[in-house]
Amino acid sequence: MGLFSKIKQVLSKTRDGISKKLSALFSQNKLGEEFYEQLEDVLISSDVSVKTSMEIVEEIRDQAIKEKCKDKEYVTSLLKSELYETLSYADPVEIKYPAVIMLIGVNGVGKTTTIGKLANKFVKEGKTVTIAAGDTFRAAASDQLSVWADRAKVRIVKHTEGADASAVVYDAVSSAKAKNTDVLVIDTAGRLHVKSNLMEELKKMDRVVKREWPDCNFYKFIVLDATTGQNAFNQVEVFNEAVGLDGIILTKLDGTAKGGFIVSLSYELEVPVVYVGTGEKIDDIEDFNAKEYVESLF
Protein backbone atom coordinates (compact mmCIF):
# COMPACT_ATOMS: atom_id res chain seq x y z
CA MET A 1 0.00 0.00 0.00
CA GLY A 2 1.41 3.38 -1.02
CA LEU A 3 1.76 6.43 1.18
CA PHE A 4 -1.23 8.21 -0.33
CA SER A 5 -3.58 5.29 0.20
CA LYS A 6 -2.32 4.86 3.78
CA ILE A 7 -2.99 8.49 4.66
CA LYS A 8 -6.34 8.32 2.86
CA GLN A 9 -7.25 5.25 4.87
CA VAL A 10 -6.41 6.73 8.28
CA LEU A 11 -8.30 9.93 7.43
CA SER A 12 -11.43 8.08 6.32
CA LYS A 13 -13.58 9.24 9.26
CA THR A 14 -12.57 12.88 8.83
CA ARG A 15 -13.00 12.69 5.04
CA ASP A 16 -16.44 11.11 5.30
CA GLY A 17 -17.58 13.89 7.58
CA ILE A 18 -16.24 16.71 5.40
CA SER A 19 -17.36 15.19 2.08
CA LYS A 20 -20.92 14.54 3.24
CA LYS A 21 -21.28 18.02 4.72
CA LEU A 22 -19.81 19.72 1.65
CA SER A 23 -22.07 17.74 -0.69
CA ALA A 24 -25.09 18.71 1.38
CA LEU A 25 -23.96 22.33 1.44
CA PHE A 26 -23.48 22.57 -2.34
CA SER A 27 -26.83 20.90 -3.02
CA GLN A 28 -28.76 23.25 -0.75
CA ASN A 29 -27.04 26.55 -1.20
CA LYS A 30 -25.98 28.99 -3.86
CA LEU A 31 -22.73 30.81 -3.21
CA GLY A 32 -23.96 33.60 -1.00
CA GLU A 33 -23.30 34.78 2.54
CA GLU A 34 -25.26 31.89 4.02
CA PHE A 35 -23.14 29.42 2.03
CA TYR A 36 -19.89 30.82 3.43
CA GLU A 37 -21.25 30.83 6.97
CA GLN A 38 -22.16 27.19 6.61
CA LEU A 39 -18.76 26.42 5.05
CA GLU A 40 -17.19 27.81 8.23
CA ASP A 41 -19.43 25.46 10.22
CA VAL A 42 -18.24 22.48 8.15
CA LEU A 43 -14.60 23.28 8.94
CA ILE A 44 -15.28 23.94 12.61
CA SER A 45 -17.18 20.65 12.91
CA SER A 46 -14.02 18.91 11.63
CA ASP A 47 -12.13 20.59 14.49
CA VAL A 48 -10.45 23.35 12.53
CA SER A 49 -10.42 26.27 14.99
CA VAL A 50 -12.92 29.12 14.67
CA LYS A 51 -10.13 31.63 13.97
CA THR A 52 -8.51 29.56 11.22
CA SER A 53 -11.87 28.56 9.71
CA MET A 54 -12.91 32.21 9.44
CA GLU A 55 -9.62 33.19 7.79
CA ILE A 56 -9.78 30.31 5.27
CA VAL A 57 -13.39 31.05 4.30
CA GLU A 58 -12.70 34.77 4.00
CA GLU A 59 -9.89 34.05 1.52
CA ILE A 60 -12.14 31.70 -0.48
CA ARG A 61 -14.99 34.22 -0.51
CA ASP A 62 -12.73 37.07 -1.68
CA GLN A 63 -11.16 34.96 -4.41
CA ALA A 64 -14.50 33.62 -5.66
CA ILE A 65 -15.96 37.13 -5.81
CA LYS A 66 -12.87 38.43 -7.59
CA GLU A 67 -13.03 35.65 -10.19
CA LYS A 68 -16.84 35.89 -10.39
CA CYS A 69 -16.98 32.14 -10.08
CA LYS A 70 -19.75 30.12 -8.44
CA ASP A 71 -18.75 26.67 -9.66
CA LYS A 72 -18.65 23.87 -7.06
CA GLU A 73 -15.39 22.41 -8.38
CA TYR A 74 -13.72 25.81 -8.38
CA VAL A 75 -14.73 26.56 -4.79
CA THR A 76 -13.55 23.09 -3.73
CA SER A 77 -10.17 23.71 -5.40
CA LEU A 78 -9.94 27.05 -3.57
CA LEU A 79 -10.68 25.27 -0.29
CA LYS A 80 -7.96 22.69 -0.95
CA SER A 81 -5.49 25.44 -1.83
CA GLU A 82 -6.27 27.42 1.33
CA LEU A 83 -6.02 24.34 3.53
CA TYR A 84 -2.66 23.47 1.97
CA GLU A 85 -1.28 27.00 2.45
CA THR A 86 -2.50 27.10 6.03
CA LEU A 87 -1.04 23.70 6.81
CA SER A 88 2.27 24.70 5.20
CA TYR A 89 2.56 27.94 7.19
CA ALA A 90 5.06 26.48 9.68
CA ASP A 91 8.53 25.81 8.28
CA PRO A 92 8.98 22.09 7.45
CA VAL A 93 11.57 20.02 9.30
CA GLU A 94 14.45 18.40 7.43
CA ILE A 95 16.33 15.86 9.53
CA LYS A 96 20.09 16.36 9.38
CA TYR A 97 22.70 14.09 10.92
CA PRO A 98 23.93 13.37 13.50
CA ALA A 99 20.42 13.82 14.89
CA VAL A 100 19.10 13.68 18.42
CA ILE A 101 15.31 13.35 18.55
CA MET A 102 13.59 13.75 21.90
CA LEU A 103 9.96 12.67 22.04
CA ILE A 104 7.70 14.55 24.43
CA GLY A 105 4.05 14.27 25.37
CA VAL A 106 1.41 13.29 27.88
CA ASN A 107 0.68 9.71 28.92
CA GLY A 108 -1.05 7.37 26.51
CA VAL A 109 -0.33 9.11 23.22
CA GLY A 110 1.85 6.32 21.84
CA LYS A 111 5.41 7.57 22.42
CA THR A 112 6.92 4.13 23.00
CA THR A 113 5.37 2.66 19.86
CA THR A 114 6.36 5.74 17.86
CA ILE A 115 9.99 5.42 18.99
CA GLY A 116 10.08 1.82 17.75
CA LYS A 117 8.60 2.88 14.41
CA LEU A 118 11.03 5.80 14.04
CA ALA A 119 14.03 3.61 14.89
CA ASN A 120 12.93 1.04 12.30
CA LYS A 121 12.35 3.77 9.71
CA PHE A 122 15.85 5.22 10.15
CA VAL A 123 17.44 1.76 10.02
CA LYS A 124 15.65 1.07 6.73
CA GLU A 125 17.06 4.35 5.45
CA GLY A 126 20.57 3.06 6.23
CA LYS A 127 21.15 5.00 9.46
CA THR A 128 22.62 3.74 12.71
CA VAL A 129 20.28 4.26 15.65
CA THR A 130 20.45 4.25 19.45
CA ILE A 131 17.45 4.57 21.77
CA ALA A 132 17.67 6.21 25.19
CA ALA A 133 15.14 4.92 27.74
CA GLY A 134 14.59 8.30 29.39
CA ASP A 135 11.25 7.31 30.92
CA THR A 136 12.46 6.04 34.29
CA PHE A 137 9.22 7.13 35.97
CA ARG A 138 6.71 4.62 34.59
CA ALA A 139 7.00 1.01 35.72
CA ALA A 140 8.35 -1.32 33.01
CA ALA A 141 8.72 1.55 30.50
CA SER A 142 12.30 0.59 29.63
CA ASP A 143 11.29 -3.07 29.28
CA GLN A 144 8.61 -2.14 26.75
CA LEU A 145 11.08 0.05 24.89
CA SER A 146 13.61 -2.81 24.85
CA VAL A 147 11.07 -4.96 22.99
CA TRP A 148 10.76 -2.28 20.29
CA ALA A 149 14.55 -1.80 20.16
CA ASP A 150 14.93 -5.54 19.61
CA ARG A 151 12.31 -5.53 16.84
CA ALA A 152 14.02 -2.61 15.12
CA LYS A 153 17.44 -4.19 15.76
CA VAL A 154 18.94 -1.11 17.40
CA ARG A 155 20.93 -0.45 20.58
CA ILE A 156 19.23 0.82 23.73
CA VAL A 157 20.74 2.65 26.70
CA LYS A 158 18.76 2.25 29.91
CA HIS A 159 19.10 2.45 33.69
CA THR A 160 17.03 0.97 36.48
CA GLU A 161 13.50 2.14 37.22
CA GLY A 162 13.51 5.38 39.22
CA ALA A 163 16.99 6.40 38.04
CA ASP A 164 17.82 9.98 37.05
CA ALA A 165 16.51 10.41 33.50
CA SER A 166 19.19 12.99 32.74
CA ALA A 167 21.86 10.42 33.63
CA VAL A 168 20.35 8.07 31.03
CA VAL A 169 20.50 10.86 28.45
CA TYR A 170 24.10 11.65 29.41
CA ASP A 171 25.17 8.02 28.94
CA ALA A 172 23.21 7.68 25.70
CA VAL A 173 24.74 10.84 24.24
CA SER A 174 28.24 9.70 25.25
CA SER A 175 27.65 6.30 23.66
CA ALA A 176 26.14 7.74 20.46
CA LYS A 177 29.07 10.15 20.04
CA ALA A 178 31.67 7.44 20.67
CA LYS A 179 30.09 5.15 18.07
CA ASN A 180 29.39 7.92 15.52
CA THR A 181 25.69 7.08 15.66
CA ASP A 182 23.49 8.79 13.08
CA VAL A 183 20.33 9.04 15.19
CA LEU A 184 19.73 9.04 18.93
CA VAL A 185 16.03 8.81 19.86
CA ILE A 186 15.22 9.77 23.46
CA ASP A 187 12.11 8.59 25.25
CA THR A 188 10.73 10.77 28.06
CA ALA A 189 8.15 10.16 30.76
CA GLY A 190 4.61 11.17 29.92
CA ARG A 191 3.85 14.32 31.85
CA LEU A 192 1.29 17.05 32.31
CA HIS A 193 2.19 20.68 32.86
CA VAL A 194 0.81 20.44 36.41
CA LYS A 195 3.62 18.03 37.27
CA SER A 196 6.28 20.68 37.84
CA ASN A 197 8.95 18.17 38.89
CA LEU A 198 8.61 16.27 35.60
CA MET A 199 8.65 19.48 33.56
CA GLU A 200 11.87 20.50 35.30
CA GLU A 201 13.31 17.05 34.56
CA LEU A 202 12.48 17.58 30.88
CA LYS A 203 14.30 20.92 30.87
CA LYS A 204 17.31 19.25 32.49
CA MET A 205 17.39 16.52 29.82
CA ASP A 206 17.23 19.25 27.19
CA ARG A 207 20.22 21.02 28.77
CA VAL A 208 22.24 17.79 28.95
CA VAL A 209 21.90 17.18 25.19
CA LYS A 210 22.84 20.77 24.34
CA ARG A 211 25.82 20.75 26.70
CA GLU A 212 27.20 17.30 25.88
CA TRP A 213 26.62 17.30 22.12
CA PRO A 214 26.49 20.93 20.95
CA ASP A 215 27.24 19.96 17.35
CA CYS A 216 24.32 17.57 16.95
CA ASN A 217 21.07 18.46 15.19
CA PHE A 218 18.63 18.44 18.09
CA TYR A 219 14.90 18.02 17.44
CA LYS A 220 12.13 18.01 20.04
CA PHE A 221 8.91 16.48 18.76
CA ILE A 222 5.63 16.32 20.63
CA VAL A 223 3.58 13.17 20.09
CA LEU A 224 -0.14 13.95 19.85
CA ASP A 225 -3.09 11.60 19.94
CA ALA A 226 -5.24 12.90 17.06
CA THR A 227 -8.44 12.01 18.91
CA THR A 228 -7.56 14.79 21.38
CA GLY A 229 -8.54 17.38 18.74
CA GLN A 230 -8.49 21.03 19.78
CA ASN A 231 -7.44 20.08 23.33
CA ALA A 232 -3.99 19.42 21.88
CA PHE A 233 -3.46 23.20 21.63
CA ASN A 234 -2.81 23.44 25.35
CA GLN A 235 -0.33 20.54 25.27
CA VAL A 236 1.68 22.10 22.44
CA GLU A 237 1.70 25.55 24.07
CA VAL A 238 2.92 24.25 27.43
CA PHE A 239 5.70 22.02 26.09
CA ASN A 240 6.74 24.63 23.54
CA GLU A 241 7.16 27.16 26.32
CA ALA A 242 9.14 24.70 28.44
CA VAL A 243 11.72 23.41 25.95
CA GLY A 244 10.76 24.67 22.48
CA LEU A 245 9.18 22.28 19.99
CA ASP A 246 10.41 21.60 16.46
CA GLY A 247 7.56 19.45 15.25
CA ILE A 248 4.54 17.23 15.80
CA ILE A 249 4.07 13.49 15.40
CA LEU A 250 0.43 12.46 14.98
CA THR A 251 -0.90 9.12 16.19
CA LYS A 252 -4.39 7.53 16.07
CA LEU A 253 -5.65 9.58 13.12
CA ASP A 254 -7.78 6.63 12.10
CA GLY A 255 -9.77 6.91 15.32
CA THR A 256 -11.16 10.41 14.83
CA ALA A 257 -13.53 12.33 12.56
CA LYS A 258 -11.87 15.57 13.63
CA GLY A 259 -8.52 15.33 11.85
CA GLY A 260 -8.89 18.94 10.75
CA PHE A 261 -7.53 20.22 14.07
CA ILE A 262 -3.97 19.85 12.82
CA VAL A 263 -4.59 22.51 10.16
CA SER A 264 -5.19 25.24 12.72
CA LEU A 265 -2.74 23.83 15.26
CA SER A 266 0.32 23.97 13.03
CA TYR A 267 -0.82 27.31 11.56
CA GLU A 268 -1.61 29.20 14.75
CA LEU A 269 1.26 27.82 16.84
CA GLU A 270 3.71 27.56 13.91
CA VAL A 271 4.77 24.02 14.76
CA PRO A 272 4.83 21.70 11.71
CA VAL A 273 3.67 18.10 11.51
CA VAL A 274 6.69 15.88 10.78
CA TYR A 275 5.43 12.29 10.95
CA VAL A 276 2.09 10.50 10.95
CA GLY A 277 1.39 7.08 12.42
CA THR A 278 -0.71 5.07 9.97
CA GLY A 279 -1.33 1.86 11.92
CA GLU A 280 -0.09 -0.51 14.63
CA LYS A 281 2.76 -2.25 12.78
CA ILE A 282 6.40 -1.24 13.03
CA ASP A 283 6.41 0.05 9.43
CA ASP A 284 3.30 2.19 9.97
CA ILE A 285 4.85 5.64 10.12
CA GLU A 286 5.23 8.12 7.28
CA ASP A 287 6.79 11.50 6.60
CA PHE A 288 4.03 14.08 6.69
CA ASN A 289 3.11 15.59 3.33
CA ALA A 290 0.71 18.55 3.47
CA LYS A 291 -0.51 18.12 -0.11
CA GLU A 292 -1.35 14.44 0.34
CA TYR A 293 -3.02 15.21 3.66
CA VAL A 294 -5.29 17.81 2.10
CA GLU A 295 -6.12 15.61 -0.91
CA SER A 296 -7.03 12.82 1.50
CA LEU A 297 -9.63 15.04 3.16
CA PHE A 298 -11.79 15.05 0.02
Side-chain angles (χ1 to χ4, degrees), residues 4 7-8 11-12 14-19 22 43 46 48 80 83 87 258-260 262-263 290-298:
F4 186 74
I7 294 294
K8 198 157 190 170
L11 281 170
S12 61
T14 300
R15 181 176 63 255
D16 287 349
I18 290 178
S19 295
L22 282 177
L43 294 176
S46 298
V48 179
K80 288 183 180 180
L83 285 170
L87 199 52
K258 297 189 173 183
I262 201 62
V263 174
K291 186 174 180 60
E292 288 170 346
Y293 183 90
V294 170
E295 288 294 335
S296 295
L297 291 174
F298 293 86

Side-chain angles (χ1 to χ4, degrees), residues 112-129:
T112 304
T113 304
T114 299
I115 287 171
K117 292 177 181 179
L118 275 181
N120 181 68
K121 183 179 190 298
F122 285 121
V123 167
K124 286 197 163 187
E125 292 171 0
K127 306 300 180 186
T128 53
V129 181

